[in-house]
C-alpha cells in the first residue's frame, strides 16, 4: 500500500507578495483585474513551462485531456506538428482523461470493456514522461444505458465490484491515483450523512462507497485512492455544509480503516462572487490531520458574469487563479493541481448549451491558461507565479 504517513508531507510556505509582484508585467489591482502585458509574447516552453516550474517546486501540474485529439504516432516519431499534442507534452507532468476512463466510454456492453482511448493516453503519457490520474471508478453520471436498464438490488454489488476489479487491474501499478468515488455528497438530497441519491446508493445502500474503495485497493495497491467532489471551495452556507459532510465521510472512512489516501477538490471556480478562503484552508488542514493529501483536480474559472471582452475576462480569471493557488498550495499536503483542460478551445464550459450555457453576450469562455488559438493568457502567468511563490520543497512525487 502506498505510504500516506506524515513524513510525506513536507512544509511549503509562500514567499511574500513582493516576490510575486516583482515578476509581473503589470498589476492593475487585486481580484477582478490582474493583467499581464502581452501574455501571448511570453515564453512558455522548456524552462518557462508550467511543468518545469511545478517540478522545480516538487509539485505536479497537469491537465485533463481528450486522447482522441492527440497525435500519438507523430509524437512517438518525434515529428508531430499538432499544436495541441505539443502543448500537452510541454506543459503537463500529470494527465487525467476528461472522459475516457469513465463507465460510459469504457463499457459499451455489460460484457465488454473498451480501453482503446484510455490506453492511447497511457501510451502518450509514457512517451511524454508524465504521470496519470484515473477518473473515475464510481459516479452517477456518464453511466451506460445498459446499466440503468439492467442493474437492480440483486446484481448491483456484483456489477460495481466487477467493473472496479477489471478496470483498476488493467491499469495496476501505472497510475498516480484513482478518483474512486466521484461526487457522492449532496446534502440537499436529504439522505443521512449528506449522501447523494444515486443509482449506487439506491441499489446498494450507503456501503457502496466503502465497497468501491476496498475493491480498488485490492485491484491496484499502488494508486493513491481519492474521494473527489465539487462545490466545497467557498465559504457560502451551502458549500460550507457540503464541505462538512465530506469531512464526516472522510473521518468515517479513517475510523473504519477504509483505504483512502487523498481528497480531490475539483475547483470549478467563478470569476465573480465569493471566493474560496478560510473554510477551504481549514478543510485541507483537517485532511492533513487524517494523513490525507489534497489534490486540486479539475480547476478552471468561468466568466459567466464578467462584463467586458476577452481582456476583462482574462484579467478576472487570472486574479482568481493567483489567489486560489496561493491559498491551497501554501498547505504542505497539496502536491498537485490540474486544470480541466488546458485551452479554452477544448473546455467543457464552451460546450454547454441551453439553460446551462454561459455568457449572456454569447462570447466564449476563457477559463484556462491557453486560449482558443493556444496562446498563453494572463492565467498562464498567474498559474506560473503562484507555483513559483511556493518555497522549494521536494516531496518525491514530481517528475520534470
Ligand atoms: O464523444 C461523444 C461523441 O462521440 C458524441 O458525438 C457527442 C454527442 O454529444 O458526445 C461525445 O461525448 C461527450 C463527451 O463529454 C466528450 O465530449 C458526452 O456526450 C458528454 O456527456 C461528455 O461530457 C463530459 C462530462 O463530464 C460527463 O462525462 C465533459 O466532457 C467533462 O468535462 C465532464 O467532466 C466532469 C468531471 O468528470 C466531474 N466533475 C465535473 C466535470 C464537468 O462537468
Amino acid at each position: 500500500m502506498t505510504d500516506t504517513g506524515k513524513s510525506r508531507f513536507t512544509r511549503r510556505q509562500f514567499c511574500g507578495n513582493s516576490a510575486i509582484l516583482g515578476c509581473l508585467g503589470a498589476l492593475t489591482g487585486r481580484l477582478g483585474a490582474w493583467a499581464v502585458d502581452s501574455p501571448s509574447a511570453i515564453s512558455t516552453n522548456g524552462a518557462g513551462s508550467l511543468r518545469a516550474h511545478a517540478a522545480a517546486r516538487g509539485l505536479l501540474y497537469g491537465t485533463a485531456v481528450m486522447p482522441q485529439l492527440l497525435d500519438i504516432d507523430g509524437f512517438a516519431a518525434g515529428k508531430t506538428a499538432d499544436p495541441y499534442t505539443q502543448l500537452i507534452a510541454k506543459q503537463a507532468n500529470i494527465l487525467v482523461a476528461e472522459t475516457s476512463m469513465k463507465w460510459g466510454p469504457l463499457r459499451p456492453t455489460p460484457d465488454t470493456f473498451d480501453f482503446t482511448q484510455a490506453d492511447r493516453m497511457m501510451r502518450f503519457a509514457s512517451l511524454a514522461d508524465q504521470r496519470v490520474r484515473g477518473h473515475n471508478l464510481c459516479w452517477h453520471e456518464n453511466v451506460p444505458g445498459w446499466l440503468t436498464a439492467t442493474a437492480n438490488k440483486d446484481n448491483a454489488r456484483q456489477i460495481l465490484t466487477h467493473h472496479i476489479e477489471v478496470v483498476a487491474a488493467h491499469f495496476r501499478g501505472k497510475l498516480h491515483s484513482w478518483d474512486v468515488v466521484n461526487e457522492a455528497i449532496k446534502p440537499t438530497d436529504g439522505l443521512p450523512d449528506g449522501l447523494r441519491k444515486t443509482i449506487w446508493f439506491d441499489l446498494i445502500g450507503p456501503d457502496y462507497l466503502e465497497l468501491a474503495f476496498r475493491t480498488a485497493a485490492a485491484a491496484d495497491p499502488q494508486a493513491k485512492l481519492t474521494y473527489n467532489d465539487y462545490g466545497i471551495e467557498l465559504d457560502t452556507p451551502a458549500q460550507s455544509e457540503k464541505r462538512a459532510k465530506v469531512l464526516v465521510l472522510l473521518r468515517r472512512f479513517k475510523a473504519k480503516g477504509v483505504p483512502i489516501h487523498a481528497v480531490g477538490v475539483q475547483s470549478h471556480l467563478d470569476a465573480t462572487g465569493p471566493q474560496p478562503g478560510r473554510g477551504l484552508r481549514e478543510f485541507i488542514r483537517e485532511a492533513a490531520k487524517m494523513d490525507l493529501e489534497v489534490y486540486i483536480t479539475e480547476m478552471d474559472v468561468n466568466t459567466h458574469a464578467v462584463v467586458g471582452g476577452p481582456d476583462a475576462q482574462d484579467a478576472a480569471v487570472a486574479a482568481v487563479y493567483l489567489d486560489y493557488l496561493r491559498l491551497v498550495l501554501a498547505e504542505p499536503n497539496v502536491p498537485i493541481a490540474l486544470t480541466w483542460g488546458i485551452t479554452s478551445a477544448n473546455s467543457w464550459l464552451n460546450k454547454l448549451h441551453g439553460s446551462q450555457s454561459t455568457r449572456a453576450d454569447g462570447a466564449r469562455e476563457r477559463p484556462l491558461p491557453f486560449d482558443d488559438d493556444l496562446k498563453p493568457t494572463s492565467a498562464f502567468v498567474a498559474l506560473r507565479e503562484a507555483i513559483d511563490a511556493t518555497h522549494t520543497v521536494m516531496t518525491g512525487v514530481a517528475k520534470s
Side-chain angles (χ1 to χ4, degrees):
M1 177 54 55
T2 308
D3 168 35
T4 55
K6 278 184 179 150
S7 58
R8 217 152 31 83
F9 298 166
T10 42
R11 185 127 312 267
R12 284 200 307 270
Q13 291 170 338
F14 267 79
C15 306
N17 279 351
S18 57
I20 301 171
L21 304 187
C23 301
L24 300 180
L27 185 77
T28 54
R30 233 198 45 75
L31 190 60
W34 190 99
V36 176
D37 288 337
S38 307
S40 62
I42 285 167
S43 171
T44 61
N45 292 331
S49 67
L50 293 172
R51 80 179 282 177
H53 280 246
R57 296 294 184 278
L59 301 170
L60 292 170
Y61 164 73
T63 173
V65 292
M66 290 182 272
Q68 296 88 336
L69 301 180
L70 294 168
D71 171 22
I72 300 173
D73 288 337
F75 186 75
K79 56 184 182 188
T80 184
D82 176 62
Y84 177 77
T85 304
Q86 291 178 343
L87 192 68
I88 298 291
K90 285 176 182 166
Q91 298 301 328
N93 49 20
I94 186 165
L95 303 182
V96 63
E98 186 166 342
T99 58
S100 304
M101 288 192 189
K102 294 172 183 171
W103 277 69
L106 283 186
R107 301 300 304 281
T109 73
D111 303 320
T112 54
F113 291 78
D114 181 354
F115 290 107
T116 310
Q117 293 304 331
D119 284 349
R120 290 184 75 246
M121 187 187 67
M122 296 301 295
R123 177 168 174 245
F124 179 79
S126 172
L127 291 165
D129 195 21
Q130 294 162 322
R131 312 287 293 272
V132 177
R133 304 198 68 239
H135 173 80
N136 53 56
L137 291 169
C138 180
W139 193 25
H140 57 280
E141 278 189 38
N142 212 329
V143 287
W146 62 259
L147 178 73
T148 43
T150 60
N152 57 46
K153 290 192 173 177
D154 293 329
N155 64 15
R157 209 178 166 85
Q158 191 274 332
I159 291 174
L160 179 63
T161 53
H162 177 61
H163 177 86
I164 295 175
E165 281 166 0
V166 172
V167 174
H170 183 85
F171 299 106
R172 182 185 174 105
K174 296 177 183 159
L175 297 183
H176 168 275
S177 48
W178 257 118
D179 288 336
V180 178
V181 178
N182 196 39
E183 304 174 0
I185 299 290
K186 189 181 178 197
T188 52
D189 277 353
L191 294 177
D193 297 324
L195 289 180
R196 182 189 287 266
K197 185 168 167 48
T198 72
I199 183 172
W200 303 115
F201 179 91
D202 285 344
L203 298 180
I204 300 175
D207 288 347
Y208 84 86
L209 292 110
E210 181 174 339
L211 176 69
F213 275 89
R214 291 194 190 281
T215 307
D220 185 352
Q222 279 173 269
K224 293 178 188 174
L225 305 184
T226 307
Y227 173 76
N228 190 47
D229 216 330
Y230 70 92
I232 52 175
E233 296 85 8
L234 306 182
D235 288 334
T236 60
Q239 295 212 8
S240 298
E241 183 188 5
K242 183 167 177 177
R243 194 165 49 235
K245 297 296 186 194
V246 172
L247 272 183
V248 167
L249 176 73
L250 300 175
R251 289 196 180 108
R252 192 167 66 243
F253 276 180
K254 294 303 277 190
K256 294 179 76 177
V258 174
I260 180 168
H261 312 106
V263 55
V265 179
Q266 291 188 10
S267 313
H268 293 291
L269 304 174
D270 194 325
T272 49
Q275 295 299 317
R278 185 162 39 172
L280 181 60
R281 184 189 300 121
E282 285 168 5
F283 174 86
I284 294 170
R285 291 178 181 176
E286 286 303 310
K289 288 179 196 161
M290 289 185 261
D291 285 346
L292 295 173
E293 292 187 316
V294 177
Y295 303 152
I296 306 304
T297 52
E298 305 184 14
M299 186 170 47
D300 55 19
V301 183
N302 79 68
T303 54
H304 299 352
V306 172
V307 177
D311 288 348
Q313 289 185 59
D314 286 358
V317 167
V320 173
Y321 273 118
L322 185 64
D323 280 0
Y324 187 64
L325 287 175
R326 287 174 62 191
L327 177 77
V328 295
L329 292 181
E331 301 304 316
N333 58 328
V334 183
I336 302 180
L338 294 96
T339 46
W340 202 237
I342 196 162
T343 80
S344 49
N346 303 119
S347 169
W348 70 292
L349 292 169
N350 280 322
K351 295 180 194 154
L352 298 173
H353 301 292
S355 59
Q356 274 196 305
S357 91
T358 53
R359 289 178 57 84
D361 62 4
R364 287 173 65 75
E365 295 276 347
R366 299 170 64 85
L368 292 165
F370 291 84
D371 67 12
D372 284 349
D373 300 320
L374 278 57
K375 298 258 188 331
T377 65
S378 295
F380 172 89
V381 184
L383 268 155
R384 216 170 55 174
E385 292 292 339
I387 288 167
D388 286 351
T390 58
H391 281 302
T392 303
V393 175
M394 300 307 294
T395 61
V397 294
K399 294 171 88 176
S400 61

